[in-house]
């Protein structure tokens, strides 16, 4: 191997090494950018869900005066006149459910036992953690809780005082369907709620696809996955739904067609690969041409000296 070949080989190796470094750096940079994008998407979904749930709970809280200022109901609670309590609760429920403020109204005494519940007739001691929290803290509470019939509800619970003493807790609640439809209207995606057994419990009214299309590999604790179906790309995002104590009670899953975005990204990636290959090929060809040109006088001199050494002086 002559010196020209050695130098050319070293130069080509350096070009490939630099290219490999740049490609690796670009890949890592892209991976970091994708990780940041996933984090931002998850954060955005969580914030949107929290805002929609918060608005609904605030709307219900604004109507707490329908019971906190109902002197007839409060007096009946103090005296233990359950018939009057239920009559007043039924009237309030009909009024507030009629304008969409709530779906359920419940009144429980301070041991957590139902004394009125509409429209579902629940009895016994509630298992809703939010109610027991309100009883302990004696202040308004908000959260997503599983009701005693097993359904998930957005709840606003507030204490009922009679003559300065906590006598009962009132619960206003809405099922998740309204939250889901409001979320869908704002987010523009197909939406689902999956229970802790990963089965669908709710679906957006305007969904275009079914929950059976949700990939099993999607991390329901919080994650994003891109699925290619034929020539279409769909992005699935899972966000946990937590109660007031931070415990996961369900999972919000969104699905959106991102074919246009990912087609552009795929084209860009393909174009970048082609350009890198062309640059490498051109660089190698250019190096061979350059070193051939640079070493040509040396090659001529070596050839001439070889001829002289052989006795060919002409």
């Amino acid at each position: 191997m002559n010196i020209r070949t050695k130098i050319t080989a070293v130069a080509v190796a350096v070009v490939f090494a630099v290219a490999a470094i740049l490609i690796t750096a670009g890949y890592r940079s892209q991976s970091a950018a994708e990780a940041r994008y996933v984090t931002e998407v998850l954060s955005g979904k969580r914030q949107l869900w929290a805002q929609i749930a918060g608005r609904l709970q605030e709307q219900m809280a604004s109507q707490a005066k329908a019971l906190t200022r109902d002197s007839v109901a409060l007096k009946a609670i103090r005296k233990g006149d359950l018939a009057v309590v239920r009559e007043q609760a039924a009237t309030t429920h009909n009024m507030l459910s009629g304008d969409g403020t709530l779906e359920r109204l419940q009144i429980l005494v301070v041991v957590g036992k139902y004394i009125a519940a509409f429209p579902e007739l629940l009895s016994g001691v509630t298992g809703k953690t939010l109610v027991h929290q309100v009883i302990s803290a004696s202040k308004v509470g908000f959260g997503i809780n599983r009701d005693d019939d097993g359904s998930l509800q957005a709840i606003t619970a507030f204490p009922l005082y009679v003559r300065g003493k906590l006598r009962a807790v009132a619960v206003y609640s809405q099922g998740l369907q309204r939250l889901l439809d409001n979320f869908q209207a704002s987010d523009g995606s197909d939406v689902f709620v999956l229970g802790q057994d990963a089965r669908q419990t709710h679906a957006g009214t305007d969904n275009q696809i079914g929950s059976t299309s949700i990939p099993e590999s999607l991390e329901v604790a919080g994650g994003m996955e891109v699925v290619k179906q034929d020539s279409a790309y769909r992005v699935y995002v899972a966000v946990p739904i937590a109660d007031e104590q931070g415990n996961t009670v369900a999972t919000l899953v969104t699905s959106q067609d991102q074919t246009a975005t990912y087609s552009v990204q795929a084209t860009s990636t393909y174009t970048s690969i082609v350009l890198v290959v062309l640059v490498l090929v051109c660089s190698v060809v250019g190096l061979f041409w350059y070193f051939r040109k640079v070493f040509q006088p040396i090659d001529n001199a070596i050839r001439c000296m070889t001829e002289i050494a052989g006795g060919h002086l002409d």
Side-chain angles (χ1 to χ4, degrees), residues 15-225:
V15 168
F16 276 99
V18 171
I21 293 172
L22 292 176
I23 290 171
T24 301
Y27 176 77
R28 290 181 177 177
S29 177
Q30 182 178 353
S31 297
E34 289 176 353
R36 288 194 299 270
Y37 173 71
V38 171
T39 300
E40 290 173 1
V41 169
L42 292 174
S43 176
K45 302 277 186 183
R46 289 192 188 99
Q47 291 177 9
L48 179 59
W49 177 263
Q51 289 171 2
I52 292 173
R55 285 198 297 266
L56 178 59
Q57 290 161 345
E58 288 174 3
Q59 180 185 357
M60 291 191 287
S62 69
Q63 296 298 326
K65 60 185 178 182
L67 281 178
T68 58
R69 297 182 183 179
D70 186 342
S71 58
V72 176
L74 295 176
K75 183 178 179 180
I77 291 172
R78 181 174 64 85
K79 291 184 175 182
D81 190 344
L82 299 186
V84 174
V85 172
R86 289 166 184 155
E87 181 181 345
Q88 292 300 109
T91 301
T92 303
H93 172 266
N94 292 337
M95 177 181 68
L96 297 181
S97 62
D99 64 11
T101 299
L102 54 77
E103 291 178 0
R104 298 184 178 189
L105 186 152
Q106 301 160 353
I107 300 178
L108 308 94
V109 291
V110 291
V111 294
K113 184 178 181 180
Y114 288 97
I115 57 175
F118 297 94
E120 287 74 14
L121 299 178
L122 302 176
S123 60
V125 177
T126 183
K128 292 192 286 291
T129 56
L130 183 61
V131 171
H132 294 286
Q133 179 179 300
V134 171
I135 293 172
S136 300
S138 299
K139 63 180 182 180
V140 179
F142 307 96
I144 304 293
N145 262 200
R146 194 172 295 280
D147 210 342
D148 294 301
D149 63 354
S151 64
L152 286 171
Q153 300 282 317
I155 293 176
T156 295
F158 50 91
L160 295 176
Y161 289 94
V162 182
R163 296 181 179 179
K165 184 177 180 179
L166 178 64
R167 294 285 185 174
V169 171
V171 174
Y172 291 172
S173 70
Q174 281 268 10
L176 294 192
Q177 189 62 51
R178 181 175 173 185
L179 273 73
L180 207 59
D181 289 341
N182 288 346
F183 183 94
Q184 184 173 49
S186 298
D187 191 60
S189 58
D190 291 339
V191 290
F192 308 89
V193 172
L194 305 183
Q196 292 176 307
D197 58 358
R199 294 183 180 180
Q200 175 186 313
T201 60
H202 299 78
T205 302
D206 297 327
N207 279 2
Q208 302 297 313
I209 63 171
S211 62
T212 54
S213 63
I214 298 175
E216 294 182 359
S217 56
L218 180 64
E219 180 56 58
V220 294
M224 187 177 86
E225 187 164 339

